[in-house]
Amino acid sequence: MILPWTKLIPTAISLVEVAGSVLSSNQKEKARLAKINDFDMETLAKRIEVLESNELKQAELIKEMAQQNLILIKNAENNYKLAIIGFITALIAIVLLFILFVVKL
């Protein structure tokens, strides 16, 4: 089976975009929190909320990457099976050709 590159490439692009947005949001939030020197309960609660949000984004990104890997693995398995079938078919053809050549002599 041929790899569905038309489906994989847009998904890969969206994965890169999501990863970039997660990274930029982490950097922005880190810079904002670095400016705050006091650690009162409200600030800590906001930081925990940001961390939980980023964790959910990362989990979604990992899920999408795992789905892409699963598609690639299934396609690789199918290609392997096709290669084995082609190899066996070629061997049978060579043996039959040899037999026909010997019989004709």
Side-chain angles (χ1 to χ4, degrees):
M1 182 174 202
I2 297 175
L3 287 175
W5 291 109
T6 56
K7 293 179 183 177
L8 289 176
I9 290 175
T11 307
I13 292 170
S14 69
L15 282 175
V16 170
E17 289 172 353
V18 170
S21 68
V22 167
L23 181 62
S24 74
S25 69
N26 284 347
Q27 290 173 343
K28 288 176 186 175
E29 193 61 31
K30 189 175 180 180
R32 186 186 71 77
L33 291 174
K35 294 178 183 177
I36 302 172
N37 291 330
D38 60 332
F39 293 105
D40 60 351
M41 291 304 285
E42 184 179 330
T43 305
L44 290 175
K46 286 181 184 178
R47 290 181 73 179
I48 290 172
E49 185 178 320
V50 168
L51 289 172
E52 288 174 347
S53 171
N54 287 337
E55 188 175 332
L56 290 175
K57 288 179 187 176
Q58 290 171 2
E60 184 63 31
L61 183 64
I62 290 171
K63 179 183 172 186
E64 290 178 18
M65 290 170 61
Q67 289 172 344
Q68 272 191 345
N69 283 341
L70 184 61
I71 290 170
L72 290 173
I73 289 169
K74 286 181 181 180
N75 288 333
E77 286 176 348
N78 289 338
N79 289 340
Y80 177 75
K81 290 175 186 175
L82 287 174
I84 294 297
I85 290 170
F87 181 73
I88 291 171
T89 304
L91 284 178
I92 291 171
I94 291 170
V95 168
L96 289 176
L97 182 66
F98 182 73
I99 292 172
L100 288 175
F101 183 73
V102 169
V103 168
K104 213 171 190 188
L105 289 177

XYZ file of all heavy atoms in Angstrom:
827
model
N 0.848 -1.185 0.000
C 0.000 0.000 0.000
C 0.892 1.247 0.000
O 1.872 1.316 0.714
C -0.901 -0.029 1.229
C -1.852 1.120 1.308
S -2.974 0.869 2.697
C -4.264 1.907 2.172
N 0.505 2.211 -0.778
C 1.273 3.450 -0.902
C 0.955 4.364 0.278
O -0.186 4.447 0.734
C 0.923 4.141 -2.234
C 1.335 3.241 -3.406
C 1.608 5.490 -2.340
C 0.931 3.763 -4.748
N 1.983 5.057 0.769
C 1.780 5.992 1.886
C 0.885 7.136 1.445
O 1.096 7.721 0.383
C 3.119 6.559 2.363
C 4.011 5.606 3.130
C 5.337 6.269 3.434
C 3.362 5.154 4.403
N -0.107 7.495 2.257
C -0.997 8.608 1.899
C -0.360 9.951 2.246
O -0.740 10.614 3.205
C -2.243 8.326 2.753
C -1.717 7.635 3.959
C -0.541 6.809 3.469
N 0.634 10.346 1.450
C 1.365 11.580 1.745
C 0.449 12.795 1.719
O 0.680 13.758 2.439
C 2.522 11.764 0.765
C 3.600 10.759 0.983
C 3.923 9.714 0.176
C 4.483 10.666 2.104
N 4.948 8.984 0.716
C 5.318 9.546 1.903
C 4.656 11.410 3.268
C 6.301 9.184 2.802
C 5.636 11.037 4.157
C 6.445 9.927 3.918
N -0.589 12.740 0.897
C -1.511 13.886 0.835
C -2.244 14.086 2.153
O -2.657 15.189 2.464
C -2.540 13.695 -0.295
O -3.222 12.451 -0.099
C -1.863 13.704 -1.650
N -2.375 13.016 2.927
C -3.011 13.131 4.246
C -1.980 13.393 5.341
O -2.261 14.097 6.303
C -3.785 11.857 4.579
C -4.975 11.621 3.693
C -5.677 10.334 4.054
C -6.826 10.060 3.106
N -7.481 8.780 3.379
N -0.803 12.804 5.193
C 0.201 12.914 6.245
C 0.861 14.288 6.301
O 1.111 14.807 7.385
C 1.282 11.841 6.060
C 0.857 10.415 6.361
C 1.982 9.454 6.046
C 0.439 10.268 7.802
N 1.136 14.872 5.149
C 1.843 16.154 5.141
C 1.026 17.263 5.794
O 1.549 17.981 6.651
C 2.294 16.519 3.710
C 3.413 15.561 3.292
C 2.767 17.962 3.621
C 3.871 15.703 1.880
N -0.267 17.443 5.466
C -1.023 18.489 6.173
C -1.118 18.230 7.675
O -1.071 19.161 8.475
C -2.408 18.441 5.524
C -2.200 17.807 4.200
C -1.052 16.860 4.381
N -1.221 16.968 8.055
C -1.278 16.645 9.478
C 0.048 16.971 10.141
O 0.075 17.507 11.248
C -1.621 15.155 9.674
O -2.791 14.852 8.944
C -1.840 14.840 11.125
N 1.143 16.662 9.472
C 2.463 16.973 10.028
C 2.637 18.482 10.173
O 3.179 18.958 11.168
C 3.558 16.397 9.136
N 2.151 19.218 9.192
C 2.245 20.677 9.265
C 1.436 21.199 10.443
O 1.900 22.059 11.197
C 1.784 21.314 7.937
C 2.790 20.977 6.830
C 1.627 22.824 8.072
C 2.331 21.351 5.442
N 0.239 20.657 10.637
C -0.573 21.110 11.773
C 0.075 20.725 13.097
O -0.003 21.480 14.069
C -1.994 20.548 11.684
O -1.996 19.153 11.889
N 0.745 19.570 13.142
C 1.446 19.171 14.365
C 2.572 20.148 14.681
O 2.766 20.531 15.832
C 2.021 17.762 14.225
C 1.043 16.618 14.377
C 1.736 15.300 14.083
C 0.436 16.592 15.750
N 3.290 20.565 13.654
C 4.379 21.520 13.863
C 3.818 22.855 14.338
O 4.373 23.492 15.239
C 5.198 21.699 12.562
C 6.167 22.853 12.668
C 5.931 20.413 12.236
N 2.696 23.272 13.762
C 2.075 24.532 14.180
C 1.628 24.465 15.635
O 1.824 25.407 16.401
C 0.901 24.861 13.266
C 1.315 25.268 11.866
C 0.142 25.407 10.913
O -0.998 25.052 11.297
O 0.368 25.862 9.781
N 1.013 23.346 16.019
C 0.558 23.187 17.406
C 1.756 23.176 18.353
O 1.732 23.818 19.408
C -0.284 21.900 17.567
C -0.541 21.597 19.033
C -1.595 22.031 16.822
N 2.811 22.471 17.956
C 4.011 22.426 18.802
C 4.609 23.820 18.949
O 5.034 24.211 20.037
C 5.037 21.475 18.199
N 4.619 24.576 17.855
C 5.127 25.941 17.924
C 4.284 26.834 18.812
O 4.817 27.651 19.574
N 2.954 26.674 18.731
C 2.095 27.496 19.585
C 2.253 27.127 21.053
O 2.229 27.996 21.925
C 0.628 27.367 19.152
O 0.137 26.076 19.416
N 2.424 25.826 21.338
C 2.655 25.402 22.723
C 3.960 26.006 23.237
O 4.022 26.545 24.345
C 2.684 23.857 22.830
C 3.218 23.417 24.172
C 1.297 23.285 22.606
N 4.995 25.942 22.408
C 6.288 26.474 22.809
C 6.221 27.988 23.026
O 6.715 28.495 24.031
C 7.341 26.142 21.758
C 8.759 26.622 22.049
C 9.282 25.974 23.327
C 9.669 26.313 20.885
N 5.583 28.700 22.099
C 5.525 30.155 22.247
C 4.667 30.559 23.447
O 5.008 31.505 24.157
C 5.000 30.809 20.972
O 3.625 30.614 20.818
N 3.570 29.829 23.688
C 2.743 30.168 24.849
C 3.505 29.885 26.143
O 3.388 30.633 27.117
C 1.421 29.410 24.824
O 1.618 28.035 25.047
N 4.308 28.814 26.146
C 5.126 28.517 27.325
C 6.150 29.624 27.561
O 6.360 30.051 28.692
C 5.852 27.188 27.164
C 4.943 26.004 27.373
O 3.834 26.138 27.860
N 5.419 24.841 26.981
N 6.798 30.070 26.489
C 7.817 31.108 26.621
C 7.211 32.432 27.063
O 7.770 33.131 27.908
C 8.572 31.272 25.300
C 9.468 30.093 24.990
C 10.091 30.185 23.610
O 9.651 30.943 22.763
N 11.122 29.371 23.381
N 6.052 32.782 26.498
C 5.397 34.035 26.878
C 4.973 34.007 28.343
O 5.169 34.969 29.076
C 4.177 34.291 25.995
C 4.507 34.685 24.579
C 3.248 34.834 23.745
C 3.561 35.086 22.288
N 2.351 35.122 21.452
N 4.408 32.892 28.734
C 3.941 32.776 30.121
C 5.123 32.754 31.077
O 5.067 33.351 32.160
C 3.086 31.517 30.279
C 2.316 31.459 31.564
C 1.320 32.602 31.722
O 0.783 33.098 30.728
O 1.093 32.997 32.881
N 6.196 32.107 30.693
C 7.391 32.067 31.534
C 7.984 33.469 31.693
O 8.384 33.855 32.796
C 8.422 31.115 30.921
C 9.606 30.840 31.798
C 10.508 29.799 31.160
C 11.704 29.503 32.032
N 12.592 28.506 31.423
N 8.018 34.227 30.599
C 8.539 35.596 30.668
C 7.638 36.470 31.543
O 8.127 37.294 32.327
C 8.640 36.183 29.264
N 6.341 36.292 31.416
C 5.412 37.077 32.224
C 5.552 36.748 33.702
O 5.587 37.635 34.558
C 3.962 36.830 31.777
C 2.932 37.725 32.477
C 1.523 37.350 32.103
N 1.087 36.087 32.659
C 0.716 35.901 33.936
N 0.745 36.895 34.789
N 0.328 34.721 34.357
N 5.683 35.472 33.997
C 5.801 35.058 35.397
C 7.168 35.410 35.978
O 7.295 35.569 37.187
C 5.531 33.561 35.527
C 4.089 33.140 35.263
C 3.960 31.628 35.281
C 3.133 33.780 36.253
N 8.173 35.517 35.121
C 9.492 35.896 35.613
C 9.491 37.338 36.125
O 10.277 37.684 37.015
C 10.528 35.724 34.507
N 8.616 38.155 35.566
C 8.522 39.554 35.997
C 7.860 39.674 37.371
O 8.065 40.650 38.077
C 7.739 40.376 34.973
C 8.449 40.504 33.643
C 7.606 41.269 32.659
C 8.278 41.327 31.300
N 7.451 42.001 30.302
N 7.066 38.691 37.707
C 6.365 38.717 38.989
C 7.272 38.092 40.048
O 7.652 36.932 39.946
C 5.033 37.944 38.911
C 4.138 38.541 37.826
C 4.341 37.935 40.259
C 2.900 37.735 37.557
N 7.592 38.864 41.062
C 8.501 38.360 42.094
C 7.764 37.777 43.294
O 8.309 36.965 44.020
C 9.447 39.469 42.570
C 10.434 39.850 41.481
O 10.796 39.022 40.669
N 10.858 41.094 41.470
N 6.551 38.226 43.519
C 5.830 37.713 44.685
C 5.069 36.448 44.314
O 4.597 36.287 43.204
C 4.869 38.780 45.223
C 3.835 39.202 44.196
O 4.118 39.119 42.974
O 2.760 39.601 44.599
N 4.985 35.558 45.250
C 4.318 34.280 45.021
C 3.142 34.141 45.980
O 3.148 33.322 46.887
C 5.303 33.119 45.220
C 6.386 33.085 44.178
C 7.675 33.481 44.476
C 6.107 32.662 42.899
C 8.662 33.446 43.518
C 7.091 32.624 41.929
C 8.381 33.019 42.243
N 2.137 34.944 45.730
C 0.938 34.810 46.548
C 0.080 33.671 45.987
O 0.371 33.096 44.952
C 0.160 36.137 46.605
C -0.270 36.604 45.216
O 0.179 36.000 44.228
O -1.049 37.563 45.132
N -0.977 33.350 46.672
C -1.821 32.211 46.297
C -2.456 32.407 44.918
O -2.583 31.459 44.150
C -2.904 31.984 47.361
C -2.348 31.468 48.677
S -1.386 29.954 48.476
C -2.684 28.789 48.233
N -2.839 33.619 44.594
C -3.474 33.878 43.297
C -2.491 33.639 42.149
O -2.833 33.021 41.144
C -3.984 35.322 43.258
C -4.744 35.651 41.990
C -5.259 37.080 41.984
O -5.548 37.621 43.070
O -5.352 37.635 40.887
N -1.260 34.097 42.321
C -0.233 33.907 41.292
C 0.085 32.428 41.119
O 0.212 31.929 39.995
C 1.047 34.675 41.666
O 0.727 36.042 41.886
C 2.082 34.566 40.568
N 0.206 31.735 42.235
C 0.488 30.301 42.161
C -0.664 29.544 41.496
O -0.430 28.615 40.713
C 0.775 29.745 43.548
C 2.100 30.193 44.185
C 2.204 29.669 45.607
C 3.273 29.734 43.348
N -1.887 29.946 41.795
C -3.045 29.300 41.174
C -3.039 29.519 39.663
O -3.341 28.604 38.887
C -4.332 29.833 41.788
N -2.674 30.732 39.231
C -2.602 31.024 37.797
C -1.505 30.190 37.141
O -1.681 29.677 36.033
C -2.344 32.508 37.557
C -3.549 33.381 37.819
C -3.225 34.834 37.530
C -4.414 35.722 37.884
N -4.107 37.147 37.663
N -0.376 30.075 37.812
C 0.723 29.283 37.257
C 0.322 27.816 37.119
O 0.630 27.166 36.120
C 1.960 29.413 38.138
C 2.596 30.795 38.068
C 3.814 30.895 38.914
N 4.898 30.142 38.271
C 6.115 30.061 38.764
N 6.416 30.639 39.922
N 7.045 29.392 38.131
N -0.373 27.298 38.118
C -0.834 25.908 38.060
C -1.820 25.742 36.913
O -1.772 24.753 36.167
C -1.452 25.483 39.405
C -0.351 25.371 40.454
C -2.209 24.162 39.265
C -0.866 25.158 41.857
N -2.694 26.711 36.726
C -3.666 26.657 35.636
C -2.964 26.648 34.271
O -3.324 25.879 33.376
C -4.605 27.857 35.728
C -5.730 27.841 34.715
C -6.647 29.042 34.895
O -6.933 29.415 36.038
O -7.069 29.580 33.859
N -1.932 27.476 34.130
C -1.167 27.522 32.883
C -0.461 26.189 32.651
O -0.456 25.656 31.532
C -0.151 28.692 32.909
C 0.847 28.583 31.773
C -0.876 30.024 32.859
N 0.123 25.633 33.690
C 0.810 24.345 33.563
C -0.154 23.232 33.153
O 0.170 22.401 32.293
C 1.507 23.983 34.870
C 2.744 24.811 35.225
C 3.210 24.478 36.645
C 3.852 24.558 34.225
N -1.326 23.231 33.744
C -2.324 22.218 33.388
C -2.780 22.386 31.944
O -2.952 21.409 31.216
C -3.512 22.296 34.340
C -3.201 21.788 35.734
C -4.344 22.009 36.714
O -5.283 22.765 36.391
O -4.296 21.417 37.804
N -2.968 23.625 31.519
C -3.363 23.890 30.139
C -2.293 23.418 29.169
O -2.602 22.779 28.149
C -3.619 25.387 29.958
O -3.803 25.706 28.606
N -1.042 23.718 29.472
C 0.055 23.282 28.606
C 0.180 21.764 28.585
O 0.492 21.172 27.555
C 1.371 23.908 29.056
C 1.439 25.375 28.724
O 0.747 25.851 27.821
N 2.256 26.106 29.443
N -0.081 21.145 29.706
C -0.016 19.683 29.769
C -1.088 19.062 28.872
O -0.828 18.074 28.173
C -0.200 19.217 31.217
C 0.048 17.746 31.405
C -0.029 17.335 32.870
O 0.249 18.166 33.743
O -0.370 16.171 33.110
N -2.269 19.642 28.851
C -3.333 19.138 27.986
C -2.966 19.316 26.508
O -3.209 18.431 25.688
C -4.654 19.845 28.293
C -5.294 19.501 29.640
C -6.522 20.354 29.884
C -5.662 18.027 29.683
N -2.366 20.462 26.168
C -1.949 20.699 24.786
C -0.881 19.683 24.376
O -0.916 19.143 23.267
C -1.399 22.118 24.623
C -2.444 23.197 24.690
C -1.784 24.568 24.551
C -2.758 25.692 24.776
N -2.080 27.012 24.728
N 0.053 19.419 25.264
C 1.115 18.462 24.959
C 0.554 17.048 24.812
O 0.990 16.286 23.946
C 2.183 18.503 26.044
C 2.989 19.777 26.044
C 3.902 19.895 27.253
O 3.968 19.002 28.086
N 4.604 21.013 27.349
N -0.415 16.703 25.627
C -1.026 15.382 25.535
C -1.745 15.221 24.191
O -1.659 14.161 23.557
C -2.010 15.171 26.686
N -2.425 16.265 23.746
C -3.100 16.218 22.451
C -2.084 16.085 21.320
O -2.292 15.328 20.371
C -3.953 17.479 22.249
C -4.770 17.472 20.990
C -5.814 16.379 20.926
O -6.345 15.977 21.988
O -6.097 15.904 19.814
N -0.984 16.795 21.427
C 0.071 16.716 20.419
C 0.666 15.312 20.365
O 0.864 14.743 19.282
C 1.162 17.742 20.738
C 2.309 17.859 19.759
C 1.824 18.337 18.407
C 3.349 18.831 20.306
N 0.914 14.716 21.500
C 1.457 13.362 21.563
C 0.464 12.363 20.980
O 0.839 11.434 20.261
C 1.836 12.995 23.016
C 3.062 13.807 23.438
C 2.102 11.501 23.164
C 3.390 13.702 24.902
N -0.813 12.579 21.245
C -1.850 11.703 20.696
C -1.854 11.765 19.169
O -1.910 10.730 18.498
C -3.212 12.115 21.242
C -4.363 11.297 20.716
C -5.677 11.808 21.256
C -6.847 11.120 20.595
N -8.125 11.705 21.013
N -1.765 12.963 18.605
C -1.740 13.113 17.149
C -0.489 12.468 16.555
O -0.566 11.817 15.501
C -1.810 14.591 16.769
C -3.155 15.228 17.036
C -3.190 16.703 16.697
O -2.304 17.170 15.951
O -4.115 17.391 17.164
N 0.634 12.625 17.219
C 1.871 12.020 16.732
C 1.779 10.493 16.779
O 2.247 9.807 15.864
C 3.059 12.520 17.552
C 3.388 13.970 17.296
S 4.581 14.671 18.448
C 5.995 13.647 18.165
N 1.165 9.965 17.818
C 1.006 8.513 17.935
C 0.099 7.986 16.824
O 0.356 6.914 16.261
C 0.434 8.154 19.307
N -0.948 8.741 16.495
C -1.832 8.324 15.410
C -1.091 8.317 14.079
O -1.274 7.404 13.266
C -3.057 9.235 15.346
C -4.013 9.033 16.498
C -5.124 10.065 16.543
O -5.048 11.103 15.896
N -6.170 9.775 17.302
N -0.258 9.320 13.856
C 0.540 9.340 12.623
C 1.502 8.161 12.575
O 1.658 7.528 11.529
C 1.345 10.636 12.530
C 0.609 11.756 11.882
C 1.537 12.919 11.569
O 2.654 12.984 12.077
N 1.076 13.817 10.750
N 2.146 7.868 13.691
C 3.062 6.723 13.742
C 2.333 5.423 13.461
O 2.860 4.536 12.790
C 3.761 6.655 15.093
C 4.864 7.669 15.225
O 5.353 8.187 14.231
N 5.251 7.963 16.450
N 1.114 5.293 13.980
C 0.328 4.087 13.746
C 0.024 3.925 12.263
O 0.138 2.818 11.716
C -0.966 4.145 14.561
C -1.860 2.917 14.497
C -1.113 1.699 15.042
C -3.128 3.139 15.292
N -0.318 5.012 11.591
C -0.585 4.956 10.149
C 0.668 4.531 9.402
O 0.621 3.669 8.510
C -1.094 6.329 9.641
C -2.493 6.607 10.177
C -1.085 6.387 8.119
C -2.969 8.026 9.924
N 1.808 5.117 9.763
C 3.063 4.764 9.096
C 3.434 3.302 9.326
O 3.902 2.615 8.415
C 4.188 5.677 9.576
C 4.100 7.134 9.116
C 5.176 7.965 9.813
C 4.236 7.234 7.619
N 3.225 2.808 10.539
C 3.548 1.412 10.857
C 2.661 0.463 10.058
O 3.133 -0.530 9.499
C 3.422 1.158 12.368
C 4.566 1.857 13.101
C 3.414 -0.328 12.680
C 4.392 1.906 14.604
N 1.364 0.765 9.983
C 0.450 -0.094 9.211
C 0.845 -0.114 7.743
O 0.829 -1.168 7.102
C -0.986 0.395 9.365
C -1.584 0.072 10.713
C -3.015 0.553 10.822
C -3.600 0.240 12.176
N -4.989 0.702 12.307
N 1.193 1.043 7.205
C 1.607 1.096 5.800
C 2.910 0.351 5.577
O 3.083 -0.311 4.553
C 1.723 2.547 5.332
C 0.372 3.198 5.184
O -0.624 2.528 4.948
N 0.333 4.506 5.314
N 3.837 0.438 6.526
C 5.101 -0.287 6.405
C 4.853 -1.795 6.441
O 5.481 -2.553 5.691
C 6.054 0.125 7.525
N 3.943 -2.236 7.296
C 3.611 -3.661 7.354
C 3.021 -4.130 6.033
O 3.368 -5.205 5.532
C 2.626 -3.937 8.489
C 3.236 -3.875 9.865
C 2.202 -4.057 10.968
O 0.982 -4.009 10.688
O 2.616 -4.237 12.120
N 2.121 -3.336 5.466
C 1.517 -3.699 4.185
C 2.568 -3.746 3.080
O 2.555 -4.650 2.237
C 0.405 -2.713 3.815
C -0.817 -2.868 4.699
O -1.024 -3.924 5.296
N -1.612 -1.826 4.797
N 3.476 -2.779 3.070
C 4.543 -2.768 2.066
C 5.450 -3.983 2.217
O 5.897 -4.558 1.226
C 5.356 -1.477 2.161
C 4.583 -0.281 1.689
O 3.602 -0.400 0.962
N 5.001 0.901 2.102
N 5.727 -4.376 3.458
C 6.560 -5.555 3.705
C 5.882 -6.810 3.154
O 6.512 -7.630 2.499
C 6.826 -5.691 5.200
C 7.611 -6.919 5.573
C 8.981 -6.985 5.328
C 6.990 -8.014 6.154
C 9.703 -8.117 5.657
C 7.703 -9.151 6.491
C 9.056 -9.195 6.239
O 9.777 -10.326 6.566
N 4.588 -6.940 3.417
C 3.841 -8.098 2.916
C 3.841 -8.126 1.392
O 4.016 -9.185 0.783
C 2.414 -8.075 3.452
C 2.318 -8.368 4.934
C 0.904 -8.216 5.439
C 0.830 -8.378 6.951
N -0.521 -8.122 7.471
N 3.647 -6.974 0.767
C 3.667 -6.912 -0.693
C 5.045 -7.273 -1.248
O 5.150 -7.941 -2.282
C 3.252 -5.517 -1.172
C 1.771 -5.175 -1.040
C 1.535 -3.714 -1.416
C 0.921 -6.092 -1.902
N 6.089 -6.849 -0.559
C 7.446 -7.167 -1.006
C 7.694 -8.671 -0.920
O 8.301 -9.267 -1.826
C 8.464 -6.400 -0.172
N 7.243 -9.300 0.138
C 7.410 -10.756 0.295
C 6.640 -11.489 -0.807
O 7.161 -12.421 -1.426
C 6.928 -11.216 1.694
C 7.824 -10.639 2.783
C 6.869 -12.739 1.787
C 9.259 -11.091 2.728
N 5.412 -11.056 -1.070
C 4.609 -11.686 -2.129
C 5.296 -11.514 -3.483
O 5.364 -12.453 -4.283
C 3.181 -11.095 -2.138
C 2.416 -11.558 -0.893
C 2.430 -11.502 -3.406
C 1.089 -10.848 -0.694
N 5.821 -10.323 -3.743
C 6.520 -10.085 -5.003
C 7.769 -10.935 -5.132
O 8.066 -11.484 -6.209
N 8.499 -11.078 -4.045
C 9.718 -11.889 -4.059
C 9.387 -13.360 -4.326
O 10.042 -14.015 -5.140
C 10.457 -11.740 -2.725
C 11.738 -12.505 -2.654
C 12.853 -12.084 -3.364
C 11.833 -13.650 -1.880
C 14.044 -12.787 -3.311
C 13.012 -14.366 -1.826
C 14.123 -13.935 -2.537
N 8.374 -13.871 -3.655
C 7.968 -15.268 -3.848
C 7.478 -15.482 -5.280
O 7.805 -16.493 -5.924
C 6.900 -15.675 -2.808
C 7.542 -15.736 -1.420
C 6.259 -17.006 -3.172
C 6.556 -15.919 -0.293
N 6.710 -14.541 -5.800
C 6.220 -14.635 -7.172
C 7.382 -14.643 -8.160
O 7.384 -15.415 -9.134
C 5.268 -13.458 -7.480
O 4.216 -13.447 -6.519
C 4.691 -13.555 -8.871
N 8.382 -13.803 -7.925
C 9.551 -13.776 -8.807
C 10.309 -15.102 -8.756
O 10.760 -15.606 -9.792
C 10.465 -12.622 -8.417
N 10.456 -15.668 -7.558
C 11.138 -16.970 -7.443
C 10.384 -18.062 -8.189
O 10.993 -18.890 -8.889
C 11.305 -17.354 -5.977
C 12.393 -16.635 -5.201
C 12.391 -17.083 -3.748
C 13.755 -16.890 -5.825
N 9.071 -18.063 -8.048
C 8.257 -19.066 -8.755
C 8.409 -18.899 -10.262
O 8.550 -19.881 -11.004
C 6.782 -18.971 -8.314
C 6.644 -19.440 -6.866
C 5.885 -19.800 -9.225
C 5.272 -19.188 -6.262
N 8.413 -17.666 -10.722
C 8.561 -17.405 -12.157
C 9.927 -17.877 -12.652
O 10.037 -18.468 -13.741
C 8.373 -15.922 -12.440
N 10.965 -17.648 -11.868
C 12.309 -18.092 -12.262
C 12.372 -19.616 -12.326
O 12.923 -20.200 -13.267
C 13.371 -17.529 -11.297
C 13.486 -16.017 -11.492
C 14.714 -18.207 -11.493
C 14.322 -15.316 -10.445
N 11.802 -20.286 -11.328
C 11.796 -21.755 -11.312
C 11.022 -22.291 -12.506
O 11.469 -23.227 -13.195
C 11.226 -22.287 -9.979
C 10.945 -23.774 -10.052
C 12.169 -21.975 -8.838
N 9.850 -21.720 -12.797
C 9.059 -22.175 -13.941
C 9.784 -21.931 -15.256
O 9.767 -22.779 -16.155
C 7.691 -21.481 -13.957
C 6.704 -21.919 -12.873
C 5.439 -21.082 -12.946
C 6.389 -23.398 -12.998
N 10.448 -20.815 -15.369
C 11.218 -20.520 -16.577
C 12.355 -21.528 -16.742
O 12.603 -22.014 -17.847
C 11.777 -19.095 -16.519
C 12.562 -18.636 -17.739
C 11.648 -18.542 -18.950
C 13.203 -17.298 -17.469
N 13.019 -21.833 -15.653
C 14.099 -22.826 -15.694
C 13.567 -24.194 -16.110
O 14.162 -24.886 -16.930
C 14.793 -22.896 -14.338
C 15.941 -23.839 -14.294
C 17.139 -23.522 -14.918
C 15.833 -25.063 -13.644
C 18.212 -24.398 -14.891
C 16.886 -25.950 -13.614
C 18.081 -25.611 -14.244
N 12.426 -24.597 -15.542
C 11.817 -25.886 -15.887
C 11.429 -25.920 -17.362
O 11.706 -26.898 -18.071
C 10.598 -26.181 -14.977
C 11.054 -26.435 -13.549
C 9.793 -27.351 -15.514
C 9.926 -26.531 -12.549
N 10.827 -24.857 -17.854
C 10.443 -24.805 -19.273
C 11.670 -24.847 -20.175
O 11.659 -25.463 -21.240
C 9.613 -23.557 -19.545
C 8.192 -23.551 -18.999
C 7.535 -22.208 -19.226
C 7.378 -24.668 -19.637
N 12.734 -24.181 -19.751
C 13.978 -24.178 -20.534
C 14.580 -25.569 -20.598
O 15.040 -26.034 -21.650
C 14.956 -23.175 -19.931
C 16.217 -23.042 -20.702
C 16.240 -22.372 -21.922
C 17.395 -23.602 -20.223
C 17.414 -22.250 -22.644
C 18.571 -23.477 -20.936
C 18.587 -22.809 -22.160
N 14.586 -26.268 -19.456
C 15.151 -27.633 -19.411
C 14.292 -28.590 -20.220
O 14.811 -29.446 -20.940
C 15.303 -28.100 -17.943
C 15.631 -29.578 -17.871
C 16.347 -27.279 -17.236
N 12.961 -28.488 -20.152
C 12.060 -29.385 -20.856
C 12.205 -29.174 -22.369
O 12.154 -30.122 -23.144
C 10.595 -29.163 -20.416
C 9.624 -29.874 -21.321
C 10.431 -29.623 -18.981
N 12.414 -27.961 -22.799
C 12.524 -27.643 -24.220
C 13.814 -28.202 -24.812
O 13.892 -28.468 -26.008
C 12.456 -26.139 -24.427
C 11.810 -25.767 -25.704
C 11.588 -24.295 -25.751
C 10.705 -24.017 -26.941
N 10.556 -22.623 -27.212
N 14.846 -28.344 -23.989
C 16.105 -28.882 -24.503
C 15.938 -30.331 -24.746
O 16.197 -31.051 -25.502
C 17.245 -28.661 -23.508
C 17.721 -27.212 -23.359
C 18.802 -27.157 -22.289
C 18.280 -26.714 -24.679
